[in-house]
Amino acid sequence: MSYDNRFLALRLEGPLQSWGFDSQYNRRNTGLMPTKSAIAGICCAALGLPRGSGKEQDFLTSFRSVRMTAIAIPRQGAKKELPVRRLQDYHTVQNTKTADGKNKDCHITHRQYLTDASFGVLLEGDAVFLGEIATALADPKWGIWLGRKTCIPSAPVLAGLKENWEDALRFLIGEKPLESFTRQEEVETFIEGRDSLPDTAVSFAIERRLFSPRRVRTLQGIERL
């Protein structure tokens, strides 16, 4: 990868979103911000990279060097700002397989979603690499969703690709100051950010899904005027 960086702006809007990073067994939770692994998955789908393939592995290796910032962008209703809520759905699936290969009559899961959420994501990385992603998102080979297949985007995910941070950010929040929005920034050291998320995708292969930790800091937005 070259040192010629670009800034890719993504818009994540839809009735439902789900950004899992700590799900266990039949509990499928969602975080309050998009995960880097989910963004990588969106890009892989747009590029048409088969799960667990060598091309996917090469992409994920390059994507780990991309720096990500997620911004919570409040949605406006008819008269007021819409609050983001967690919705928990109750799923039942019949005739599933257990670990020992036997049939299970009914498998129950509890799955969380975010409602009335909207996010902007800024990716900083190599110009050629992000250019390929932007081209794919403009005409994705496979369907893309906001964390789960039931979470269909209600607006184009691609907002734009720019040479500098400020112009890319303007696609997402216009002329409003970034400090007025809650955001989660990727950092490199413990001093910069003390939170870690296990959401850097190493492999999406079904038989060996693997993720590594990512250091982040979350900044609360000041009250907007």
Side-chain angles (χ1 to χ4, degrees), residues 33 54 80 100 116 120 143 153 197 210:
M33 286 285 189
K80 62 180 181 179
D100 58 5
D116 293 322
L197 298 175
L210 184 62

mmCIF file of all heavy atoms in Angstrom, residues 33 54 80 100 116 120 143 153 197 210:
data_model
loop_
_atom_site.group_PDB
_atom_site.id
_atom_site.type_symbol
_atom_site.label_atom_id
_atom_site.label_comp_id
_atom_site.label_asym_id
_atom_site.label_seq_id
_atom_site.Cartn_x
_atom_site.Cartn_y
_atom_site.Cartn_z
ATOM 1 N N MET A 33 -22.547 1.541 18.431
ATOM 2 C CA MET A 33 -21.812 2.102 17.305
ATOM 3 C C MET A 33 -21.491 0.988 16.305
ATOM 4 O O MET A 33 -21.346 -0.176 16.693
ATOM 5 C CB MET A 33 -20.498 2.740 17.782
ATOM 6 C CG MET A 33 -20.655 4.060 18.497
ATOM 7 S SD MET A 33 -21.011 5.387 17.324
ATOM 8 C CE MET A 33 -20.872 6.817 18.415
ATOM 9 N N GLY A 54 -9.076 -16.725 -0.419
ATOM 10 C CA GLY A 54 -7.800 -16.033 -0.374
ATOM 11 C C GLY A 54 -7.949 -14.549 -0.641
ATOM 12 O O GLY A 54 -7.263 -13.724 -0.027
ATOM 13 N N LYS A 80 -39.306 16.613 16.607
ATOM 14 C CA LYS A 80 -38.201 16.497 17.548
ATOM 15 C C LYS A 80 -37.211 15.422 17.092
ATOM 16 O O LYS A 80 -37.489 14.654 16.167
ATOM 17 C CB LYS A 80 -38.715 16.178 18.948
ATOM 18 C CG LYS A 80 -39.446 14.848 19.041
ATOM 19 C CD LYS A 80 -39.929 14.583 20.472
ATOM 20 C CE LYS A 80 -40.639 13.237 20.565
ATOM 21 N NZ LYS A 80 -41.085 12.955 21.955
ATOM 22 N N ASP A 100 -23.236 -32.326 18.342
ATOM 23 C CA ASP A 100 -22.968 -33.757 18.126
ATOM 24 C C ASP A 100 -23.690 -34.316 16.906
ATOM 25 O O ASP A 100 -23.727 -35.533 16.683
ATOM 26 C CB ASP A 100 -23.349 -34.565 19.368
ATOM 27 C CG ASP A 100 -24.813 -34.384 19.760
ATOM 28 O OD1 ASP A 100 -25.546 -33.710 19.008
ATOM 29 O OD2 ASP A 100 -25.217 -34.907 20.815
ATOM 30 N N ASP A 116 -34.251 3.604 14.715
ATOM 31 C CA ASP A 116 -34.126 5.062 14.528
ATOM 32 C C ASP A 116 -32.692 5.550 14.686
ATOM 33 O O ASP A 116 -32.451 6.669 15.169
ATOM 34 C CB ASP A 116 -35.049 5.816 15.496
ATOM 35 C CG ASP A 116 -36.514 5.586 15.180
ATOM 36 O OD1 ASP A 116 -36.845 5.530 13.989
ATOM 37 O OD2 ASP A 116 -37.319 5.460 16.115
ATOM 38 N N GLY A 120 -22.558 7.947 10.531
ATOM 39 C CA GLY A 120 -21.594 8.213 9.488
ATOM 40 C C GLY A 120 -20.297 7.509 9.852
ATOM 41 O O GLY A 120 -19.939 7.436 11.030
ATOM 42 N N GLY A 143 -25.683 -8.243 -2.050
ATOM 43 C CA GLY A 143 -26.455 -7.388 -1.166
ATOM 44 C C GLY A 143 -25.664 -6.994 0.069
ATOM 45 O O GLY A 143 -24.862 -7.774 0.586
ATOM 46 N N PRO A 153 -30.247 -1.231 4.248
ATOM 47 C CA PRO A 153 -30.056 0.222 4.219
ATOM 48 C C PRO A 153 -31.215 0.922 3.519
ATOM 49 O O PRO A 153 -31.752 0.421 2.524
ATOM 50 C CB PRO A 153 -28.753 0.397 3.419
ATOM 51 C CG PRO A 153 -28.080 -0.934 3.484
ATOM 52 C CD PRO A 153 -29.176 -1.949 3.546
ATOM 53 N N LEU A 197 -12.201 -3.219 21.615
ATOM 54 C CA LEU A 197 -13.307 -3.984 21.046
ATOM 55 C C LEU A 197 -12.746 -5.130 20.210
ATOM 56 O O LEU A 197 -11.834 -4.912 19.407
ATOM 57 C CB LEU A 197 -14.169 -3.082 20.150
ATOM 58 C CG LEU A 197 -14.868 -1.900 20.817
ATOM 59 C CD1 LEU A 197 -15.568 -1.051 19.754
ATOM 60 C CD2 LEU A 197 -15.864 -2.375 21.846
ATOM 61 N N LEU A 210 -12.601 -15.366 13.029
ATOM 62 C CA LEU A 210 -11.576 -14.916 13.974
ATOM 63 C C LEU A 210 -11.497 -13.397 13.953
ATOM 64 O O LEU A 210 -11.528 -12.773 12.887
ATOM 65 C CB LEU A 210 -10.216 -15.523 13.592
ATOM 66 C CG LEU A 210 -9.038 -15.239 14.525
ATOM 67 C CD1 LEU A 210 -9.293 -15.815 15.906
ATOM 68 C CD2 LEU A 210 -7.753 -15.819 13.929
#
